[in-house]
Amino acid sequence: MRVEMRVDGEPAAAEIDRPGESLLTTLRDRLGRYGTKNACEQGECGSCTVLLDGDPVCACLVATAQCEGREVKTVVGAVPRPVRDAFIACGAVQCGFCTPGLLVSVADLLARDGDPNDVQIREALAGNLCRCTGYEKIIDAVHAAAELMSDGTPAPTRAHWITTPVVPSAANDATEAAP
Amino acid sequence: MPDALNEPTGRAATTASTPGERTPDERTSPSPAPTGPVPVAPAASAGLETAVPAGPVPAAPAASHAAPEFPTPPTRAAGGVGTPHLPGGVGSSPTRPDAEAKVNGTFDYASDLDFPGMLWGHTLRSPHPSARLRAIDTTTARAMPGVAAVLTAADVPGKLHYGLIEADQPVLALDQVNYEGEPVAIIAAETLDLARRAAELIDVDYDILEPACDPEEAVAAGNWFRCQPVRLGDPDAQTPAAVVTRDYVVGMQDQAPLGPESGAALPTGDGGIELYVATQWVHSDLEQIAPCLGLEPDRIHMAIAGIGGAFGAREDLSVQVHMAMLALATGRPVKMMYDRAESFVGHVHRHPARMRYEHAADADGKLLYVKARIVLDGGAYASTTEAVVGNAASLAVGPYEVEHVSIDAWGARTNNPPCGAMRGFGGVQTCFAYESQMDALAEVLGLDPLEFRRRNAVAQGSKLITGQIVDAYDPARADGGTPFSPLADMLGRFKDMPVPAVPTGRDIVELPGGTGNTTHGEGVRRGVGYGVGLKNVCYSEGFDDYSTAGIRLELVDGQTVAYVRTAAAEVGQGHWSLQAQIVRTELGADRVELLPNDTKAGSAGSSSASRQSYMTGGAVKAACEAVRELMRGHDLADGPIEATRVFRHRATKPMDPVTGQGESHVQLALCVHRATVDVDVELGLVKVVDLTCVQDVGKIMNPVALEGQIHGGSAQGLGLAVMEEMITAQGRVKNASFTDYLIPTILDMPPMRLRIVENADPEAPYGLRGAGEPPTLSSTPAIVAAIRDATGLALTQIPVRPEHLTAHFGRQP
């Protein structure tokens, strides 16, 4: 079966030999678009999140056969530059395996709500597992991205850190992050 | 453990750096903390004496496998990342070299490898935890169109077993399988789907046996990998004012890195092979792989491919030998990649534990004695159980002074899944137990739990239970005439950070049950608890722990460029950033280029034991210092300078097999957590609402990366406290998926407050202390203590399950 769709703004066609093949498999193994990650392949981790006609989906749970004529946007095409910049600046990327899916989810969130609060961020990203960061810096990054996108000026990252000279004394508290 | 492989030889001098020889002044002398591009130290080019400049790059030296290679122009680091010019030295948070590729989806993880003509490998695994293999028939599978090879134990070209410490794990099952998921046969086919279908056609005749799954029974039967006692003083001769005895259970935790086990093997055409794999220690891999393949190590080139998290799961071999066998058998590139279910059985786990602890104190609130019996379940094969048991025994009472100790720690051999390295490495299980005991004993004594810990905290000059003296702090520092106690200091810092108040008008997402809309606050009780963790950094017990770094400094288009060559694995922690920071601080180069991490460099040891900043950071620093020396009187315009250095920490000693005594650790790191939880006591649901952490890191090398380590380590401790457990029944894993094995989501993690203490370790590079593991120890007991505070329940088993909280429903205070 031949399926034609648009991927990140370009026409893409894939020959599918199994009707059940997932969009994730097609993107990675047939189209060579490895930006979308495969961590669980059962819709639990969100690493393969893409936009399908603008809606966030787990590519592992979508059959490619359902994508005829539809538009798929991956981390390559779905994520505004300020969101990427904010993830880098805030330290929201460690191993980075969850990052492409998270970025797509954040792009979707910020398209719907330009200034989400922590609770809204947590709810919107609840389907994206990250094993490295403990999520704190991801929340920082979403706020920073929202600021960047609202007025186009680089937002300072949340001031977590007060640098002090390295003097071993009780006064040497390097940091305290506000919750 | 593997011996030194590939000690660098050749032109660059290879001398061990002795950290103790450096003075604090030397540590900080070379113009630290450049704020931008800094030219090469001016004094260095002033022409003082004859230098030994490096000539042109040697063209493929004879000992090419051992000599560090400095390709010109530079190639890309693992994961396909060049290193752009980035300002920022030690103490700053420069942009990660890999960040841009990772946010663009262009970072090459091991699972993204793609080679022309590539086959897919797949593993057939035993469905039984214990069975004899009567026969394997691969005829039908081999005849399937698209299948290129089906291999069994009979096809292993060399040694039949491998292992990190003891080579006891079969490459492929021989006549018996000893755990569910043990590899039995491997297949290479044109697609992964075909390979999986072919696996179903392999006919294995199993004679199913009753698995031995009880670690206590295994110990009783003498079926264990290691028993390590610790004996000190005479516990039985004491007369305590208070005694607390409890049994603790720790479930089996999984590292669950998001990147699946993956790699690719490429035959070189002359009988050799190239391997690209996500691994924490490429040289240890090579040492295990080569004998199994029947190849000399120099016929194998191994490079680290992009790693999607590790946490200990990539210490042991997974796909390495299998994909190499398939590639050699077929003459084609072979890629292997586990799916999530296979990943859960395809790597080792954190040891589950059963522990009986008896703590006693005198009337003044001083610990009198500790007795403990610690049984860790090592599962079917040795992996790193031996070293994990050593940690569990030596760290069994935590950072507290006690003069009378009787401890026995075992690593049992069972038919459960093999267990080995996970972040915390033997320190996590006992930390839950001893911190729970400290709380329980404080309660009996009527003491505040922090005050009780303060009274017993180790200080400079204290003896640990192994007899090791705490000597890691400035001996001149004293607190009112008593030796400096970092722990007492850290415990005192919570006074300035009040427990968060219960906010009014909370969003329902912030309550236990969260988006499940299970409560509006009725039945919700708040609790607060503390946990203290003590973790050893670097390898212990006499292991020859070293790392190797090569630096080449040269002029390229008028810019000074420093090329850095190590085999250290960037697992996500930010080690590439750190290497570049050190080079900028030490050499002030205009540009730093990180070269590929592979077996052409000398061994860096593993990215584990919180050791890479100390060890490879130390090696990079030592190599930079050597380059600076060579620069004296040398003009870079006359040619590049290069130096390679091997860095070792001070020697450690094995634990005495009878008494456990011995200076077994090199560095110890402390972390304290305070957890605040809300518990819905009717439904047994827990919401951690705040985690506050005080950690001693010696020196903040990279603030953002450090925060990330503490956040992430705390999250994994939270997982063990309330949700993460691989459930096994008669050796069978019941929840090998992210649907059923729960790791914390963004809804589960609370905001964190951090306070970082910098008590420099005089022996460590820059005074740093390893930082990645300690938070994983202390967050778990803090959270469980908070749940106890909220519920009044004893809670001696982790993870705490809802039914533990509701079993006593109706008898709540």
Side-chain angles (χ1 to χ4, degrees):
Chain A
M1 178 189 356
R2 181 179 171 85
V3 178
E4 293 186 7
M5 50 194 167
R6 288 182 72 79
V7 179
D8 294 326
E10 297 167 1
E15 285 293 338
I16 308 297
D17 55 13
R18 257 190 337 140
E21 179 167 309
S22 74
L23 176 58
L24 176 63
T25 300
T26 303
L27 286 172
R28 290 176 56 83
D29 297 342
R30 295 199 192 276
L31 302 177
R33 292 172 183 267
Y34 290 107
T36 304
K37 299 305 170 195
N38 56 325
C40 81
E41 298 184 52
Q42 57 178 197
E44 291 291 345
C45 75
S47 299
C48 65
T49 305
V50 298
L51 299 182
L52 182 60
D53 289 342
D55 291 327
V57 295
C58 287
C60 68
L61 296 184
V62 174
T64 305
Q66 293 175 297
C67 297
E68 174 65 33
R70 300 178 77 177
E71 180 173 57
V72 177
K73 285 191 175 173
T74 74
V75 64
V76 174
V79 184
R81 185 69 225 181
V83 178
R84 299 170 202 256
D85 287 341
F87 265 65
I88 294 175
C90 294
V93 178
Q94 286 191 33
C95 91
F97 208 83
C98 69
T99 303
L102 262 167
L103 288 169
V104 172
S105 291
V106 171
D108 171 65
L109 167 66
L110 293 178
R112 290 183 281 113
D113 181 349
D115 186 23
N117 62 29
D118 281 10
V119 168
Q120 291 163 328
I121 293 169
R122 288 181 192 277
E123 190 160 357
L125 303 183
N128 291 86
L129 296 179
C130 170
R131 193 56 161 163
C132 296
T133 66
Y135 304 102
E136 278 283 86
K137 292 184 176 299
I138 290 168
I139 294 173
D140 292 349
V142 178
H143 286 300
E147 284 189 54
L148 274 173
M149 291 170 75
S150 65
D151 58 12
T153 58
T157 59
R158 277 207 294 183
H160 268 211
W161 213 274
I162 304 156
T163 306
T164 54
V166 182
V167 180
S169 78
N172 180 26
D173 287 345
T175 185
E176 179 170 354
Chain B
M1 293 276 259
D3 292 321
L5 267 184
N6 302 317
E7 289 268 10
T9 58
R11 202 154 41 82
T14 308
T15 55
S17 162
T18 309
E21 288 174 359
R22 289 195 300 278
T23 67
D25 284 341
E26 284 170 338
R27 274 209 309 280
T28 53
S29 57
S31 60
T35 52
V38 180
V40 172
S45 55
L48 295 174
E49 55 191 76
T50 310
V52 187
V57 185
S64 65
H65 193 66
E69 255 183 23
F70 294 96
T72 307
T75 59
R76 301 190 310 167
V81 181
T83 311
H85 172 88
L86 299 167
V90 167
S92 67
S93 301
T95 300
R96 296 174 62 108
D98 50 356
E100 185 65 31
K102 284 178 173 176
V103 299
N104 289 336
T106 54
F107 185 83
D108 291 331
Y109 293 92
S111 49
D112 300 331
L113 293 169
D114 192 353
F115 294 97
M118 181 177 87
L119 295 165
W120 283 84
H122 182 61
T123 319
L124 175 69
R125 294 172 181 274
S126 166
H128 308 295
S130 180
R132 265 188 289 275
L133 284 183
R134 285 206 195 94
I136 305 178
D137 183 353
T138 61
T139 318
T140 317
R142 275 187 284 131
M144 186 173 159
V147 171
V150 181
L151 307 179
T152 66
D155 304 301
V156 176
K159 271 183 61 185
L160 299 175
H161 296 85
Y162 67 86
L164 265 170
I165 297 178
E166 179 187 341
D168 71 336
Q169 186 146 3
V171 172
L172 291 165
L174 299 166
D175 52 356
Q176 180 150 337
V177 290
N178 294 306
Y179 72 98
E180 183 203 34
E182 179 155 359
V184 172
I186 47 178
I187 303 102
E190 297 294 335
T191 67
L192 180 55
D193 192 47
L194 274 176
R196 286 173 176 161
R197 276 152 53 193
E200 293 170 10
L201 299 178
I202 297 174
D203 187 13
V204 186
D205 184 6
Y206 293 104
D207 177 13
I208 298 168
L209 305 174
E210 185 70 20
C213 298
D214 187 321
E216 289 279 9
E217 287 175 10
V219 166
N223 211 355
W224 37 264
F225 297 105
R226 179 178 180 181
C227 170
Q228 179 60 58
V230 182
R231 297 284 186 273
L232 189 65
D234 187 356
D236 292 326
Q238 308 310 309
T239 314
V243 179
V244 169
T245 306
R246 288 187 184 173
D247 292 305
Y248 296 93
V249 176
V250 177
M252 184 189 294
Q253 189 177 21
D254 190 79
Q255 304 87 345
L258 286 194
E261 284 80 359
S262 306
L266 284 74
T268 55
D270 59 357
I273 195 153
E274 291 176 21
L275 298 178
Y276 300 88
V277 66
T279 175
Q280 289 174 243
W281 188 357
V282 70
H283 284 82
S284 169
D285 283 9
L286 177 64
E287 183 166 271
Q288 295 172 75
I289 292 165
C292 296
L293 296 178
L295 292 175
E296 290 302 314
D298 63 4
R299 306 303 306 281
I300 304 171
H301 173 64
M302 283 198 74
I304 301 178
I307 300 174
F311 318 116
R314 302 185 203 277
E315 290 259 295
D316 296 73
L317 297 185
S318 56
V319 297
Q320 284 89 327
V321 183
H322 294 162
M323 66 186 189
M325 282 174 59
L326 291 167
L328 289 170
T330 61
R332 289 171 66 181
V334 172
K335 175 176 177 175
M336 289 189 86
M337 181 183 75
Y338 295 170
D339 66 11
R340 183 53 52 183
E342 185 171 16
S343 177
F344 269 105
V345 296
H347 61 245
V348 300
H349 315 286
R350 188 190 301 294
H351 292 72
R354 299 183 200 177
M355 299 170 283
R356 163 159 289 202
Y357 265 76
E358 181 176 325
H359 272 59
D362 65 18
D364 297 328
K366 287 288 287 178
L367 278 177
L368 263 190
Y369 70 80
V370 176
K371 297 182 189 177
R373 173 187 166 83
I374 300 158
V375 176
L376 304 172
D377 188 350
Y381 294 106
S383 182
T384 48
T385 291
E386 186 184 314
V388 170
V389 169
N391 273 6
S394 60
L395 304 174
V397 306
Y400 305 112
E401 287 186 330
V402 57
E403 291 175 15
H404 304 280
V405 165
S406 175
I407 285 159
D408 293 293
W410 279 275
R413 185 201 303 267
T414 65
N415 291 117
N416 287 319
C419 289
M422 182 177 172
R423 194 178 198 168
F425 202 79
V428 164
Q429 297 90 337
T430 51
C431 183
F432 168 64
Y434 65 69
E435 284 302 279
S436 299
Q437 286 290 95
M438 293 300 281
D439 279 346
L441 198 48
E443 190 176 347
V444 172
L445 291 163
L447 285 172
D448 173 81
L450 286 192
E451 170 59 19
F452 180 53
R453 286 173 171 85
R454 195 191 60 74
R455 287 186 192 180
N456 293 285
V458 293
Q460 175 75 9
S462 294
K463 255 189 199 170
L464 302 179
I465 59 170
T466 52
Q468 178 154 6
I469 305 285
V470 175
D471 63 352
Y473 302 94
D474 180 356
R477 292 181 68 191
D479 187 9
T482 58
F484 173 65
S485 168
L487 177 55
D489 173 55
M490 292 163 74
L491 292 170
R493 290 168 188 252
F494 286 91
K495 279 191 298 230
D496 305 335
M497 296 182 284
V499 173
V502 179
T504 50
R506 270 186 295 180
D507 192 296
I508 198 164
V509 172
E510 298 175 289
L511 290 168
T515 50
N517 194 17
T518 53
T519 181
H520 289 269
E522 65 278 11
V524 175
R525 309 265 192 280
R526 174 151 291 197
V528 177
Y530 292 85
V532 176
L534 176 72
K535 178 68 182 60
N536 59 321
V537 174
C538 301
Y539 298 140
S540 300
E541 299 194 67
F543 186 77
D544 180 22
D545 190 4
Y546 70 94
S547 180
T548 317
I551 305 280
R552 175 191 178 91
L553 191 64
E554 69 175 285
L555 274 179
V556 178
D557 298 332
Q559 284 194 316
T560 53
V561 181
Y563 299 104
V564 185
R565 189 81 150 117
T566 77
E570 167 61 74
V571 296
Q573 80 279 44
H575 184 67
W576 284 344
S577 280
L578 185 79
Q579 289 188 5
Q581 288 176 254
I582 290 172
V583 173
R584 285 186 208 107
T585 290
E586 298 296 334
L587 296 178
D590 294 326
R591 200 149 58 86
V592 180
E593 294 278 356
L594 305 179
L595 300 176
N597 310 121
D598 59 23
T599 48
K600 286 179 183 159
S603 176
S606 179
S607 288
S608 64
S610 305
R611 65 180 281 287
Q612 282 300 22
S613 296
Y614 193 128
M615 297 305 297
T616 300
V620 168
K621 182 170 184 284
C624 287
E625 288 162 351
V627 165
R628 273 211 317 273
E629 274 303 306
L630 292 170
M631 280 292 295
R632 296 160 77 89
H634 177 72
D635 189 338
L636 269 191
D638 296 336
I641 295 278
E642 67 180 68
T644 295
R645 287 292 180 272
V646 174
F647 179 85
R648 283 181 166 81
H649 59 68
R650 72 172 170 187
T652 58
K653 292 178 186 151
M655 297 173 75
D656 182 279
V658 177
T659 66
Q661 299 299 297
E663 302 239 325
S664 59
H665 300 307
V666 61
Q667 188 185 60
L668 296 157
L670 282 166
C671 188
V672 187
H673 272 87
R674 181 184 63 209
T676 306
V677 303
D678 283 340
V679 182
D680 185 330
V681 296
E682 295 168 359
L683 296 176
L685 300 175
V686 176
K687 170 74 182 173
V688 182
V689 297
D690 181 72
L691 275 176
T692 300
C693 174
V694 178
Q695 185 170 346
D696 181 3
V697 302
K699 159 76 180 171
I700 299 169
M701 300 294 284
N702 179 321
V704 167
L706 172 63
E707 289 180 323
Q709 285 300 299
I710 300 173
H711 293 153
S714 301
Q716 290 179 1
L718 181 149
L720 180 60
V722 295
M723 64 184 78
E724 290 188 34
E725 182 175 13
M726 288 191 66
I727 311 281
T728 59
Q730 280 301 324
R732 292 174 200 274
V733 178
K734 296 299 195 183
N735 57 339
S737 77
F738 281 157
T739 306
D740 299 314
Y741 182 92
L742 304 180
I743 67 176
T745 71
I746 198 168
L747 288 168
D748 300 307
M749 269 305 287
M752 283 195 68
R753 280 182 291 185
L754 311 182
R755 182 157 294 190
I756 309 302
V757 186
E758 293 180 289
N759 291 312
D761 180 341
E763 292 201 357
Y766 304 101
L768 70 82
R769 291 171 196 281
E773 290 173 291
T776 309
L777 271 66
S778 49
S779 68
T780 304
I783 290 165
V784 178
I787 302 171
R788 287 190 195 108
D789 184 44
T791 63
L793 298 170
L795 301 179
T796 53
Q797 179 175 347
I798 50 174
V800 175
R801 303 178 189 175
E803 61 264 34
H804 298 161
L805 300 174
T806 55
H808 305 260
F809 186 67
R811 288 186 273 135
Q812 292 300 314

